[in-house]
């Protein structure tokens, strides 16, 4: 039996054409997603080697590289309070091959630096938070300072000669030192460095008197007696250093820490940002990272790109208030 053959209607032709077009485009779209990354990635750290941000970045990137199947090259580009390294990535092609690890200074520079060479909210995309380290206010044993009360006495006797080191202008160590001087009514000389490692070296040598530093790097020196912990800059006693009193307990309400997270150039595809976020979060939950964080006293901070974006906006507002209240400029 021969079935009747009806000529195709215009509607059927359009439906068939659309189906063919969709099928033709699908392999390409799938291939484009599957192809990333098809070459090595780079992550810029705007600090010298040896600090917490550098450590966290290299640790996390080792695990992410395994998952992505591509090498990740970590490049240290310090200078100008992290502006040089951040700007390098902000001006990189948004092709999913360049990222930058930022810290508190990224938020502070919005207010501190009059003419940033990049727009922090448009030229860069939040990808993932990684870690946070509590700060300790420390000094070298030769200073004779053991507490906030000792610091007050020494500052008055010194006549404005006491100094405090920082990781650089606009960093959390800089702003916390300025807040300390303001709250205590002291004159302290700010000495900025290009990262925590060189600042810590001079603190150990007695070239500078004080420093707010990341507990992971300071712990060994405090425990060995090479540094004296004046107080933890935490809201309550730290789980990592329960025997050290907080600054708040001693009458100075300062809570300070160093966080770090990953950004990509503005315009980086959503698929790349979401995949990188997922792999960073997986890395943070991996045994090597969990163990290293626990040993180092680093808190893991995971979440979505959107949560990181909201966190950055909050930090920008927070540091704007601190900077304006303390009257901090790049010359301090």
């Amino acid at each position: 039996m021969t079935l009747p053959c009806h000529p195709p209607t215009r509607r059927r032709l359009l439906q068939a054409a659309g189906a063919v077009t969709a099928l033709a485009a699908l392999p390409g779209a799938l291939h484009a997603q599957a192809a990333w990354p098809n070459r090595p990635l780079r992550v810029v750290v705007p600090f010298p080697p040896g600090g917490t941000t550098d450590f966290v970045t290299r640790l996390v990137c080792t695990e992410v590289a395994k998952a992505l199947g591509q090498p990740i090259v970590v490049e240290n580009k310090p200078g100008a309070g992290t502006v040089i390294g951040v700007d390098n990535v902000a001006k990189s092609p948004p092709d999913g091959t360049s990222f930058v690890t930022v810290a508190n200074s990224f938020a502070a520079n919005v207010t501190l630096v009059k003419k940033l060479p990049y727009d922090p909210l448009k030229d860069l995309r939040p990808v993932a938070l990684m870690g946070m380290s509590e700060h300790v206010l420390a000094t070298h044993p030769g200073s004779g300072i053991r507490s906030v009360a000792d610091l007050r006495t020494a500052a008055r006797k010194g006549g404005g000669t006491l100094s405090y080191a920082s990781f650089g202008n606009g960093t959390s160590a800089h702003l916390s030192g300025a807040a300390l001087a303001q709250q205590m009514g002291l004159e302290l000389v700010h000495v900025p460095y290009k990262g925590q490692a060189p600042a810590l070296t001079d603190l150990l040598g007695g070239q500078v008197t004080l420093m707010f530093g990341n507990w992971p790097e300071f712990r060994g020196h405090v425990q060995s007696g090479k540094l004296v912990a004046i107080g933890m800059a935490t809201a309550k006693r730290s789980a990592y250093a329960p025997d050290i009193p907080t600054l708040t307990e001693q009458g100075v309400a300062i809570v300070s820490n160093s966080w770090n997270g990953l950004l990509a150039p503005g315009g980086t595809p959503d698929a790349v940002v979401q995949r990188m976020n997922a792999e960073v979060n997986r890395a943070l939950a991996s045994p090597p990272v969990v163990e290293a964080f626990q040993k180092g006293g680093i808190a893991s901070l995971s979440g979505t790109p959107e949560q990181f974006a909201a966190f950055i906006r909050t930090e920008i507002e927070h540091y704007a208030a601190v900077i304006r209240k303390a009257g901090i400029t790049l010359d301090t």
Side-chain angles (χ1 to χ4, degrees):
M1 179 175 67
T2 303
L3 295 176
C5 180
H6 300 286
T9 64
R10 177 178 176 81
R11 180 180 179 182
R12 288 177 179 172
L13 286 172
L14 289 174
Q15 288 175 336
V20 170
T21 301
L23 288 171
L26 184 59
L30 292 175
H31 176 73
Q33 288 186 353
W36 185 88
N38 58 5
R39 52 182 167 147
L41 311 182
R42 73 181 186 115
V43 176
V44 171
V45 175
F47 298 99
T52 302
T53 298
D54 184 64
F55 170 76
V56 169
T57 301
R58 293 178 185 276
L59 180 66
V60 171
C61 284
T62 297
E63 298 303 311
V64 173
K66 294 176 186 177
L68 294 179
Q70 288 288 347
I72 298 179
V73 178
V74 178
E75 302 177 1
N76 295 92
K77 292 184 179 295
T82 72
V83 171
I84 291 175
V86 174
D87 186 49
N88 178 271
V89 172
K91 290 182 170 56
S92 296
D95 57 5
T97 61
S98 294
F99 300 86
V100 60
T101 305
V102 297
N104 310 56
S105 51
F106 177 75
N109 283 339
V110 175
T111 302
L112 192 65
V113 181
K114 292 182 179 180
K115 292 184 179 180
L116 281 173
Y118 53 84
D119 186 321
L121 299 180
K122 294 181 180 179
D123 296 337
L124 293 144
R125 290 195 63 178
V127 176
L129 272 166
M130 294 192 293
M132 186 274 288
S133 300
E134 297 170 337
H135 280 179
V136 59
L137 176 62
T139 183
H140 57 88
S143 71
I145 300 170
R146 299 292 183 272
S147 64
V148 168
D150 289 344
L151 172 58
R152 190 184 306 277
T153 299
R156 288 174 177 171
K157 288 182 179 179
T161 61
L162 295 188
S163 58
Y164 73 95
S166 76
F167 320 151
N169 286 311
T171 59
S172 52
H174 171 201
L175 301 180
S176 296
L180 177 74
Q182 183 188 44
Q183 284 195 36
M184 296 184 67
L186 306 177
E187 289 188 21
L188 300 176
V189 179
H190 174 222
V191 184
Y193 290 79
K194 289 185 177 180
Q196 178 171 259
L200 177 55
T201 297
D202 277 7
L203 180 66
L204 288 165
Q207 281 76 37
V208 287
T209 312
L210 306 165
M211 183 177 172
F212 280 92
N214 297 327
W215 179 243
E217 280 76 42
F218 279 55
R219 179 175 60 180
H221 298 301
V222 170
Q223 292 173 343
S224 69
K226 293 180 180 179
L227 290 177
V228 175
I230 297 172
M232 295 296 292
T234 51
K236 59 183 180 179
R237 292 272 179 132
S238 170
Y240 302 113
D243 295 333
I244 300 176
T246 67
L247 295 175
T248 300
E249 288 177 58
Q250 302 177 67
V252 182
I254 294 179
V255 175
S256 180
N257 57 59
S258 290
W259 55 262
N260 46 66
L262 203 65
L263 303 180
T268 299
D270 291 340
V272 171
V273 171
Q274 294 296 336
R275 173 77 189 280
M276 195 65 167
N277 173 270
E279 297 303 344
V280 168
N281 286 331
R282 287 191 188 98
L284 292 173
S286 68
V289 174
V290 170
E291 182 180 358
F293 274 24
Q294 288 176 343
K295 287 183 178 180
I298 302 170
S300 177
L301 300 176
S302 59
T304 66
E306 294 74 22
Q307 288 171 329
F308 187 21
F311 175 83
I312 288 175
R313 288 192 293 270
T314 300
E315 286 290 280
I316 289 174
E317 294 174 1
H318 165 69
Y319 282 115
V322 172
I323 291 167
R324 289 166 183 156
K325 182 177 180 181
I328 302 169
T329 69
L330 283 176
D331 295 325
T332 60

